[in-house]
Structures are given as structure tokens and as C-alpha cells.
């Protein structure tokens, strides 16, 4: 099939390129804009208690005041606020309310801090648009206006709260995307120049993948609108890396094999057909594993991951189609001139280092397997210290951003949980008014919970059927202690609710608790499903029942090693309280799916060597010698491109960039280079049971596809293969 695809593309390269250009223009011109949402509660389904509590609040207290932005005031000299300062604050609050800024519903004064050094203005926005870009726009206007109104006073005013955090996230995301994009381009360009010493080959993938990127983003926007998915600004940064990293991988897989066929004596166009025919199955299987793993995220309960899965799957699918059509078409038009001015493509390199590594695996497969396995196991021990953190806002921007400064200062000036209190909603189950006499004892029981600073009955709805108890925790909302405390609050709220009533616990800590539960669900659901589907793809590619088991086990070890190393570096060395909650899910899918690419390429080459009559150990050594350079180059580029995410300047992308790049390096330079080929050599022919995929194939006689200079027979193709083998043996 892949040979036929290659033949069709090489026969009609201009039409293939024109078709891609027309599709790109049409998709980009008509695609809707990609929405964005930074509201953590929107990531959860309606079945979770925190979301039910938020819905109840909307019905029972539609006019309840919930600040979306907080203007925090202090004197420029750091001293206590004077009476004159407080008059200035009152004036600023009044004038902000009189501006009637879009989305702003109420602007009211807030309480002063106990030490008298801080006070605040609370701003309520339309709750229906929480987390939407229009509220970030409103926060920008509020921030600018508040600073303008404070000019000529002794006040320093900063804007925080969820709307301000959304604004700062946008700014941070744009800066991060720019740095990631520049870093990715530079790494790919420089690495390809070093590998091929050919400027055309260095620039070509950047141009072609840039075209694919435009198509993929348009398709993602269509899918997001069609299926009403949630979007998040971090997805754009990840997409850049996935498209250019994976796209360069597939470009390298194809170009290394194209160069190999040219060295074996193939005519230029036939060399491309043979390259697609030989490596196309490995590319398609590798992309299939990545797509399946990403689509498994649809099973997630988190809206963020539900959006990320299809988006990344679409990106990889577009890259796969380009790898089998657009890239072969363009390269076949240029021909061997694509390697200009280098002459090295004309001769077979010695590959001395990889040949030596191959001989080492061939002679001592057991030692190689044990040594590489022990490295993976040792690194995996770090997973025992893993902790999660749930503050997506502070994790996705630097601590120096204004909204983060406000959050830190409020925690010091007020109770740590004051910025995001927990609400317990007590509702009548029979529609009758609640017994107000029970409110005092109920609030007292909530206030006695370990980790609670205070609890009080805040308001009662008009019908008297729902009461809102405000519970202030001793800890900042996203900390482990706050999440543990809110679970204790839930236990007491449910157990001690008066007869005929039902309690629901809401607020940010309650949302984080439910996100924790949802992520644990995803671990039990997404991980096994993704692993099972990848095993099916491996089984179909290798026609084996045995090989997929140890291949997926090796990738699982790679995941453990990656998570362990990330824990040691960020939690132990850097002192982070935990890793971002979605990191293990993302890490698992990237390391398992993309890491499987290199296993697939290596094992497919090993099978090819075995089919030429080599014994398992010799086949493993030869596979490492000839596929090793491809895996090393592709692994380095992909790991380096993911590492550019560390330039974004926030903990979420820094942790993600390190973890995924380290995982890919482990997959390429430990698993694919040593662990997988040595295990396959040890298991021998049994690794291919029941399909015997390593046995030499009988090539049927008959004409093959006709490309370029004339028909190519099966005999000629077999001769080319033999010539290729002889060339590699030199």
C-alpha cells in the first residue's frame, strides 16, 4: 500500500503540492477563531459536587456577590493607610463603578487587613462569562483605570483575582509561544544543518511543517466548534512543539531511507518510492500509536484534556498525511540536489560509533538489557515522592505577574484562605423553609473542623430554602492542606446536615478536590486504554503477540523513569510543593506514544534485517548500526524542541518541557537503542510468534510500479535490496 502511495505521489508531485496549497488556503480562510477558557471549574463535568454547588448558588443566590477582580491598595512607603488614603480608596472605588466597564456588574469596597496596611476594592463580573477572554479585556481596562485614578496619591494599586489572572495568563502565553516558536525553529535548523550539511534540507521541513501547522490549526478550530470543546491557551504552545517535533521526526525517517536508497543505486524517483514503501509502514504505525494515545484523552473527565486529545490527534494526523504525500512530492521534484552542496550522501558512512554499539548489543544482549533496565528502574523510584498541585493559574505564569503578586500579598495580609473562601450550601429537600434555629450549631460544627479558620451563616435565599455558610480555611485554596481540609468540611457538612436537608460544598478548594478525583479516574481509565490500543497497533505492525508486551512494558518503565526524574528535580532539588496535576497524564501520553515511535522504527528495522537471513543477535546489531543514527537525530531534535517549553517562564510549561524532553531522550537513547533490541535478541525467533515476521520473505515475480525511467521488477527490487545490504556491509 505504501509503495503505491509513494508511486502515485512521485508520479504527480506538482498536483500533490497544489492540492495541499488549495486545502491550506481554504481551511485557513474559513476556519473559526479558537475560543479560550481559563476557568478551572469549566474543566469538570456536572456530576461533581463543586459544580453542583456552583449551579445551586446561581439559582438560589443569583445576585450573590462573587468578586472576579480585586484591586489591592497599600501605601507606596509600605506604612499603615491613613484616613486620607482611605478617602482616596473610596473615591477610586466609586469612580471605577461609575465607568460602567463592559462585564463589570458591581464595584464595592472590601475589608481592610488586620495590620491596617492593606485594603481592597471588590469587582463582580458576569458569572456566565467566567474565564472568557472578554473578562480578561475588562480586567485590562480596570487595571489601567485604577492606576490612572491613583496617580497623585500615596497609594500603590494592583489588580488581582480570576479575571486579572486570565489577563496575565494571556500575556504570559503569548510570550511563551514566541520563545517556544523561535527556539524550535533554531534547534531544528541548526541540527539539520549539522546532520546533512545541506541548507535546503535544513529549511525544507520548517516550510512544509509550517504549511501543515496552518492546516492543522484550522481543522482543530473546526473540531472545537463542532464538538463544543473547551480550549486553553497552553494548548497552542504544545501544538507548536508537537507539529514541528513530530513532523521533523517523520521527515528524518523518510530522508535517511531516501538517502540510503540513493546510495544503493536507485534512480532518484524510484529511490523515493522505495523509501516510502519501506519506511511508510513504520511512520504510519508510529503516527497511529500517537493518534490513538491522544484520542484516549477523550475518556478524561477534565475538559482541558478532552480538548487537548482531539487537537493533538488532528495535528499528528495532518503531519502523517504530509509525511507520506507532501514531503515525498517536494523532495522528488528537487531530487538529489536537496543534499547540495554536501557530497557525503553519495557514500555509505562507516557509522563507527553505532556499529560499535551494535556489536556490543550483539555480543552481550543480556548485560545490555539488565544495565539499561536497572537505569530505568532506579530513576522510577522517584515516583514514590510524587505530589500534585492544582493551582493552574499560578502554574501557568511567572510569580512576578501582577495578579500573582496580589495573590501572595493577600495571603500574608489576610487569612490565607480569605481570597477564595469555601461555601457550604444547605438546602431543604422537601421545599419547606429551613429551621433557622439550627444554623448556629451547624456553623459551629463547620468552624470546628481541623484546618478551618472561621465559619458563619452568610445569607438565606428569599424562599428560605437554601442557606449559604461561608467557611474560611487556614490555607491557600490550591494547597494540599486546603484540599485535605475541604474534604473534612464535606464530611462534616454531609454528616451533620439537619434532617430534611442536603449540603453541597463549593468554592475553589472544592473544585481542586474534584479535579484531584477526576485525575485519579483518568489514571485508571486513560492509561490502560491508551496502552491497550498501542499494543494492538504494535501487534498489527509486527504480526506478533509477544513483541507488543515487552515493548509496551519498556515504554511503561520509561514513563516511570521520567516521572521519577521530574520529581527529584522539581520537588526535591527545586523545592516545589508538587507537580502540576495534569503532568503525569500528559507525560504518559507523550512518552508512551511518541516514545513508541523510536521503538517502532528500531524494531521494524530489526525485522527487516532478520528477513534478509540474519540471526536475531546479528539482526539487532545491524538494526542499531543503521537505524541508530536516525533514532539519535530524531530523538535529539524532538527532545530539544520540547525542552524549548522551559523558556516560557512558568512552572507548568517548565515542568512539562523537562518531563517530556527527558522522557523522549530516555525513549530514544535507552529504550530504542539498547533495551528493546537487546530484549528482542535475547527472546530470538519467539519474539515474532505466531507470525514469524522475522523470516526471509519470498519475493513474488511480476512487474512493480513504473516510475520515472521505466518499470521496476520485483527481481530488480530484490537486487537493490541485496546491493543495499552489500553497501551497508562495506
Amino acid at each position: 500500500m505504501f509503495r503505491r502511495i509513494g508511486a502515485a505521489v512521485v508520479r504527480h508531485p506538482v498536483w500533490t503540492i497544489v492540492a495541499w496549497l488549495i486545502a491550506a488556503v481554504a481551511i485557513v480562510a474559513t476556519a473559526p477563531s479558537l475560543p479560550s477558557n481559563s476557568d478551572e471549574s469549566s474543566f469538570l463535568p456536572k456530576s461533581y459536587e463543586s459544580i453542583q454547588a456552583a449551579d445551586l448558588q446561581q439559582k438560589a443566590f443569583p445576585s450573590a456577590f462573587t468578586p472576579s477582580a480585586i484591586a489591592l491598595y497599600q501605601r507606596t512607603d509600605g506604612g499603615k493607610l491613613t484616613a486620607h488614603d482611605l478617602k482616596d480608596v473610596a473615591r477610586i472605588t466609586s469612580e471605577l463603578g461609575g465607568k460602567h466597564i463592559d462585564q463589570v456588574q458591581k464595584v464595592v469596597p472590601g475589608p481592610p487587613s488586620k495590620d491596617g496596611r492593606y485594603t481592597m476594592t471588590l469587582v463582580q463580573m458576569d458569572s456566565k462569562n467566567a474565564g472568557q477572554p472578554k473578562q480578561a479585556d475588562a480586567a485590562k481596562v480596570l487595571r489601567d483605570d485604577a492606576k490612572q485614578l491613583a496617580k497623585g496619591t500615596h497609594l500603590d494599586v494592583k489588580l488581582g483575582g480570576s479575571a486579572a489572572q486570565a489577563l496575565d495568563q494571556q500575556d504570559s502565553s503569548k510570550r511563551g509561544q514566541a520563545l517556544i516558536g523561535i527556539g524550535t525553529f533554531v534547534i531544528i535548523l541548526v541540527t539539520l544543518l549539522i546532520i546533512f550539511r545541506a541548507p535546503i534540507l535544513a529549511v525544507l521541513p520548517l516550510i512544509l511543517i509550517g504549511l501543515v501547522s496552518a492546516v492543522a490549526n484550522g481543522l482543530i478550530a473546526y473540531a472545537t466548534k463542532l464538538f463544543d470543546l473547551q480550549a486553553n491557551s497552553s494548548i497552542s504552545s504544545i501544538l507548536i512543539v508537537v507539529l514541528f517535533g513530530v513532523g521533523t521526526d517523520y521527515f528524518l525517517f523518510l530522508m535517511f531511507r531516501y538517502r540510503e536508497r540513493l546510495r544503493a543505486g536507485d534512480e532518484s524517483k524510484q529511490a523515493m518510492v522505495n523509501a516510502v514503501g519501506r519506511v511508510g509502514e513504520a511512520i504510519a504505525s508510529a503516527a497511529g500509536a500517537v493518534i490513538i494515545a491522544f484520542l484516549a484523552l477523550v475518556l478524561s473527565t477534565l475538559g482541558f484534556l478532552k480538548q487537548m486529545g482531539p487537537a493533538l490527534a488532528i495535528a499528528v494526523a495532518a503531519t502523517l498525511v504530509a509525511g507520506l504525500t507532501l514531503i515525498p512530492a517536494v523532495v522528488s521534484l528537487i531530487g538529489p540536489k536537496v543534499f547540495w552542496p554536501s557530497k557525503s550522501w553519495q557514500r555509505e558512512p562507516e557509522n563507527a560509533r553505532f556499529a560499535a554499539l551494535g556489536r556490543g548489543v550483539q555480543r552481550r544482549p543480556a548485560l545490555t538489557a539488565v544495565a539499561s533496565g536497572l537505569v530505568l528502574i532506579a530513576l522510577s523510584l522517584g515516583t514514590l515522592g510524587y505530589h500534585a498541585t492544582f493551582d493552574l493559574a499560578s502554574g501557568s505564569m511567572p510569580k512576578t505577574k501582577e495578579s500573582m503578586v496580589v495573590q501572595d500579598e493577600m495571603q500574608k495580609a489576610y487569612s490565607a484562605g480569605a481570597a477564595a473562601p469555601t461555601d457550604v450550601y444547605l438546602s431543604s429537600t422537601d421545599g419547606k423553609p429551613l429551621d433557622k434555629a439550627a444554623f448556629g450549631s451547624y456553623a459551629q460544627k463547620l468552624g470546628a473542623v481541623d484546618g478551618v479558620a472561621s465559619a458563619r451563616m452568610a445569607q438565606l435565599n428569599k424562599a428560605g430554602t437554601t442557606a449559604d455558610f461561608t467557611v474560611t480555611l487556614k490555607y491557600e485554596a490550591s494547597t494540599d492542606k486546603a484540599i485535605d481540609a475541604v474534604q473534612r468540611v464535606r464530611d462534616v457538612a454531609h454528616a451533620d446536615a439537619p434532617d430534611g436537608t442536603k449540603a453541597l460544598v463549593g468554592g475553589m478548594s472544592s473544585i481542586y478536590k474534584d479535579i484531584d478525583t477526576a485525575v485519579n479516574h483518568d489514571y485508571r481509565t486513560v492509561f490502560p486504554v491508551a496502552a491497550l490500543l498501542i499494543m494492538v497497533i504494535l501487534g498489527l505492525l509486527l504480526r506478533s503477540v509477544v513483541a507488543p508486551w515487552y515493548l509496551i512494558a519498556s515504554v511503561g518503565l520509561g514513563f516511570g523513569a521520567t516521572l521519577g526524574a521530574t520529581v527529584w528535580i522539581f520537588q526535591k532539588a527545586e523545592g516545589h510543593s508538587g507537580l502540576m496535576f495534569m503532568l503525569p497524564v500528559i507525560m504518559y501520553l507523550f512518552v508512551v506514544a511518541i516514545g513508541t515511535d523510536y521503538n517502532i522504527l528500531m524494531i521494524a528495522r530489526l525485522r527487516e534485517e532478520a528477513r534478509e537471513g540474519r540471526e536475531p543477535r546479528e539482526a539487532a546489531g545491524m538494526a542499531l548500526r543503521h537505524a541508530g543514527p536516525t533514532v539519535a537525530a530524531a530523538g535529539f531534535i524532538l527532545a530539544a524542541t520540547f525542552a524549548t517549553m522551559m523558556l516560557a517562564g512558568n512552572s507548568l510549561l517548565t515542568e512539562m518541557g523537562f518531563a517530556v524532553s527527558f522522557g523522549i531522550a530516555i525513549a530514544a537513547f535507552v529504550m530504542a537503542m539498547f533495551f528493546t533490541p537487546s530484549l528482542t535478541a535475547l527472546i530470538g525467533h519467539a519474539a515474532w510468534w505466531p507470525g514469524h515476521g522475522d523470516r526471509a520473505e519470498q519475493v513474488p515475480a511480476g512487474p512493480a510500479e513504473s516510475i520515472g525511467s521505466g518499470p521496476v521488477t520485483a527481481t530488480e527490487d530484490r537486487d537493490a535490496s541485496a546491493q543495499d545490504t552489500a553497501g551497508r556491509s562495506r
Side-chain angles (χ1 to χ4, degrees):
M1 179 180 76
F2 294 101
R3 178 178 289 276
R4 288 196 293 272
I5 292 173
V9 168
V10 171
R11 188 182 292 117
H12 306 291
V14 175
W15 285 112
T16 303
I17 296 167
V18 168
W20 264 95
L21 290 173
I22 292 173
V25 171
I27 290 171
V28 171
T30 60
S33 59
L34 190 65
S36 181
N37 197 326
S38 59
D39 180 17
E40 283 94 335
S41 65
S42 67
F43 298 163
L44 289 167
K46 301 295 185 184
S47 58
Y48 283 88
E49 182 173 348
S50 59
I51 306 304
Q52 293 174 2
D55 291 342
L56 176 61
Q57 185 224 336
Q58 289 292 321
K59 294 174 184 176
F61 308 103
S63 60
F65 190 91
T66 304
S68 299
I70 300 170
L72 185 67
Y73 305 90
Q74 68 177 131
R75 282 184 61 85
T76 53
D77 60 10
K80 288 188 176 183
L81 295 169
T82 66
H84 191 270
D85 294 331
L86 293 176
K87 284 183 181 180
D88 285 332
V89 170
R91 175 184 57 80
I92 294 170
T93 301
S94 176
E95 292 190 27
L96 283 176
K99 288 181 176 290
H100 303 293
I101 299 168
D102 180 46
Q103 295 296 307
V104 173
Q105 294 177 329
K106 289 182 183 177
V107 181
V108 300
S113 62
K114 292 180 180 179
D115 61 8
R117 294 173 58 211
Y118 294 87
T119 191
M120 59 178 93
T121 294
L122 306 177
V123 181
Q124 183 181 29
M125 296 187 187
D126 187 351
S127 60
K128 295 177 182 177
N129 295 319
Q132 297 297 329
K134 59 179 69 176
Q135 294 206 348
D137 295 340
K140 188 176 190 311
V141 176
L142 277 168
R143 181 175 283 171
D144 292 342
D145 287 353
K147 291 182 186 300
Q148 185 65 35
L149 291 170
K151 281 187 176 179
T153 71
H154 296 289
L155 294 172
D156 176 39
V157 57
K158 300 184 184 74
L159 193 76
S162 59
Q165 288 176 356
L167 172 64
D168 290 341
Q169 270 184 298
Q170 283 183 6
D171 294 341
S172 180
S173 177
K174 288 176 184 176
R175 175 181 174 276
Q177 285 181 39
L179 289 171
I180 289 168
I182 294 169
T184 299
F185 270 66
V186 169
I187 287 167
I188 293 174
L189 188 66
V190 171
T191 307
L192 290 179
L193 276 173
I194 293 171
I195 292 171
F196 292 107
R197 299 180 181 86
I200 297 175
L201 264 182
V203 174
L204 191 60
L206 296 175
I207 297 172
L208 298 181
I209 298 166
L211 177 64
V212 176
S213 175
V215 172
N217 275 291
L219 293 174
I220 289 165
Y222 272 120
T224 300
K225 184 176 181 180
L226 181 63
F227 297 106
D228 193 28
L229 299 170
Q230 299 291 343
N232 185 275
S233 55
S234 296
I235 291 176
S236 299
S237 301
I238 298 169
L239 271 176
I240 294 171
V241 179
V242 169
L243 281 163
F244 282 91
V246 174
T248 306
D249 264 11
Y250 299 160
F251 180 82
L252 284 171
F253 290 179
L254 188 64
M255 292 310 301
F256 270 93
R257 186 52 69 100
Y258 173 60
R259 186 176 66 177
E260 188 175 313
R261 296 309 309 160
L262 287 174
R263 287 168 176 166
D266 287 359
E267 181 271 333
S268 173
K269 292 185 180 296
Q270 189 61 46
M272 181 54 72
V273 175
N274 286 339
V276 175
R278 288 182 175 229
V279 84
E281 186 179 24
I283 291 176
S285 299
V290 178
I291 291 168
I292 287 292
F294 287 157
L295 285 178
L297 284 174
V298 173
L299 300 174
S300 171
T301 49
L302 294 173
F304 172 78
L305 295 178
K306 276 181 178 289
Q307 158 66 9
M308 179 180 286
L312 296 179
I314 289 169
V316 175
T319 308
L320 167 63
V321 175
L324 297 178
T325 58
L326 180 62
I327 293 173
V330 172
V331 174
S332 67
L333 268 182
I334 301 172
K337 291 180 182 177
V338 76
F339 297 105
W340 178 88
S342 173
K343 304 283 188 185
S344 61
W345 66 271
Q346 297 174 349
R347 60 185 182 276
E348 179 73 23
E350 292 296 327
N351 283 347
R353 293 178 184 173
F354 291 98
L357 292 174
R359 287 193 297 271
V361 170
Q362 180 177 340
R363 292 170 184 166
R364 299 180 181 85
L367 178 62
T368 304
V370 169
S372 53
L374 286 175
V375 169
L376 297 175
I377 291 171
L379 289 172
S380 298
L381 294 176
T383 58
L384 299 175
Y386 168 73
H387 291 290
T389 184
F390 298 89
D391 190 356
L392 189 60
S394 63
S396 55
M397 70 183 98
K399 295 291 186 183
T400 54
K401 285 291 185 180
E402 186 170 321
S403 59
M404 292 294 97
V405 174
V406 170
Q407 179 174 291
D408 291 342
E409 289 183 349
M410 283 189 64
Q411 288 178 35
K412 296 171 185 175
Y414 298 82
S415 170
T422 295
D423 290 286
V424 178
Y425 299 101
L426 191 66
S427 298
S428 170
T429 56
D430 55 11
K432 295 179 181 179
L434 295 169
D435 179 11
K436 296 180 182 179
F439 290 171
S441 62
Y442 190 65
Q444 189 175 4
K445 289 175 182 176
L446 293 173
V449 173
D450 182 26
V452 172
S454 65
R456 61 184 178 85
M457 206 290 283
Q459 56 186 332
L460 188 67
N461 71 337
K462 291 180 180 179
T465 55
T466 301
D468 174 13
F469 293 82
T470 298
V471 178
T472 303
L473 302 179
K474 295 178 181 178
Y475 318 108
E476 195 274 319
S478 64
T479 61
D480 289 343
K481 289 182 177 180
I483 293 168
D484 291 340
V486 87
Q487 180 58 54
R488 292 192 291 271
V489 170
R490 282 183 176 182
D491 293 340
V492 171
H494 297 160
D496 293 331
D499 293 339
T501 66
K502 178 184 177 182
L504 290 174
V505 180
M508 288 310 302
S509 293
S510 186
I511 289 171
Y512 292 138
K513 175 61 184 175
D514 286 341
I515 288 176
D516 186 29
T517 303
V519 170
N520 288 331
H521 164 271
D522 291 349
Y523 292 161
R524 297 189 300 270
T525 307
V526 177
F527 284 20
V529 169
L532 181 63
L533 293 176
I534 291 173
M535 284 181 66
V536 170
I537 288 177
L538 289 171
L540 292 173
L541 168 67
L542 303 174
R543 282 79 167 173
S544 167
V545 173
V546 177
W549 285 98
Y550 67 82
L551 288 176
I552 203 69
S554 71
V555 176
L557 268 178
F559 164 76
T562 303
L563 181 57
T566 308
V567 168
W568 272 330
I569 287 178
F570 288 98
Q571 286 187 204
K572 306 299 183 185
E574 295 288 327
H576 290 196
S577 60
L579 304 179
M580 289 306 297
F581 66 90
M582 81 281 282
L583 187 64
V585 176
I586 295 171
M587 186 191 306
Y588 174 84
L589 292 168
F590 277 85
V591 173
V592 169
I594 298 178
T596 303
D597 282 9
Y598 306 124
N599 266 344
I600 287 175
L601 186 69
M602 185 63 73
I603 205 76
R605 186 58 185 251
L606 195 153
R607 180 184 62 178
E608 187 178 322
E609 298 291 344
R611 282 177 169 177
E612 293 178 358
R614 294 184 173 88
E615 286 301 308
R617 294 193 178 196
E618 184 186 3
M622 293 299 290
L624 181 52
R625 176 184 175 184
H626 298 296
T630 310
V631 170
F636 172 79
I637 289 178
L638 191 59
T641 52
F642 271 103
T644 60
M645 294 171 71
M646 299 173 70
L647 300 173
N650 66 68
S651 59
L652 171 61
L653 291 180
T654 298
E655 290 173 5
M656 193 183 300
F658 170 81
V660 177
S661 61
F662 185 84
I664 288 168
I666 286 286
F669 296 101
V670 179
M671 293 190 302
M673 290 277 194
F674 300 107
F675 196 62
T676 297
S678 60
L679 274 181
T680 307
L682 280 174
I683 297 171
H685 295 296
W688 308 96
W689 183 87
H692 303 297
D694 62 332
R695 302 299 165 86
E697 287 186 312
Q698 296 297 321
V699 182
E705 295 286 350
S706 176
I707 298 294
S709 59
V712 180
T713 66
T715 302
E716 287 172 331
D717 186 52
R718 185 171 60 242
D719 290 344
S721 179
Q723 187 178 3
D724 181 20
T725 304
R728 290 197 307 264
S729 300
R730 288 194 293 269

